[in-house]
Amino acid sequence: MSSGIPVNDLCKAKFVGLKRCHLYRYVIFKINDDNKEIIVDHRYRTKKASSDASETEAVTEGDDRENTSNMDFETQSQEKIFTDFVARLPEDQCRYAVFDVEYAKGDVVSNKIVFISYSPDTAKIKPKMLYSASKDALTKVLDGIHESIQINDPDDLTLEHVQEKLLRV
């Protein structure tokens, strides 16, 4: 059993929506206000649910206007999507996120799922410790992460920085 805070079932469902169904480009997770559970904070919806309702019913549960950005994946550049992602991260609070990053290695373009642990230097110590202790619980539930990145300085939170990390793998 991993230490830290338990993970809400919707976290895994949204990750499956990103990984297998390609419904989301990114999903942001947070520890809820009473520090008892890791929950979905926001996701970037890239396309409508599949016509196969059984495939996407559990994945799209909980999608609402307050915490879901709806954009057409085909018309939004990755840079605009990443800008939206960064704008949704609070300046002084920790978050976890998964992002489906497209990057090029030579002539080959690939996509990899990156786990980002965002713990800005301006965050309070107690939440930083809580997020650090609970990271393992979340990453065990999210099967299929290709790379994990720790970000403490908001200036490092750029698409180029993330893509560089993927090129080193």
Side-chain angles (χ1 to χ4, degrees), residues 1-108:
M1 184 175 164
S2 57
S3 63
I5 296 174
V7 179
N8 182 287
D9 291 340
L10 279 179
C11 295
K12 184 173 183 177
K14 298 307 172 194
F15 180 73
V16 169
L18 179 141
K19 179 182 167 189
R20 197 170 348 151
C21 303
H22 306 286
L23 290 175
Y24 308 105
R25 191 62 185 263
Y26 68 77
V27 182
I28 300 173
F29 308 97
K30 70 176 186 175
I31 296 174
N32 67 357
D33 293 338
D34 58 2
N35 295 332
K36 295 194 188 265
E37 189 175 39
I38 297 173
I39 61 172
V40 174
D41 184 33
H42 190 82
R43 62 264 196 200
Y44 188 95
R45 184 84 176 262
T46 57
K47 66 179 184 179
K48 291 187 170 122
S50 165
S51 59
D52 179 6
S54 63
E55 176 187 20
T56 57
E57 185 176 329
V59 171
T60 58
E61 178 185 343
D63 281 3
D64 56 42
R65 291 175 192 235
E66 289 180 18
N67 60 5
T68 306
S69 299
N70 291 294
M71 298 288 182
D72 180 9
F73 182 73
E74 308 304 326
T75 62
Q76 293 297 315
S77 72
Q78 182 170 228
E79 290 78 13
K80 285 183 180 181
I81 295 169
F82 200 85
T83 299
D84 180 77
F85 164 69
V86 171
R88 300 215 179 259
L89 296 173
E91 287 182 24
D92 59 351
Q93 296 176 23
C94 302
R95 291 292 187 269
Y96 306 113
V98 287
F99 199 103
D100 186 4
V101 179
E102 184 177 285
Y103 69 104
K105 194 170 190 176
D107 293 338
V108 179

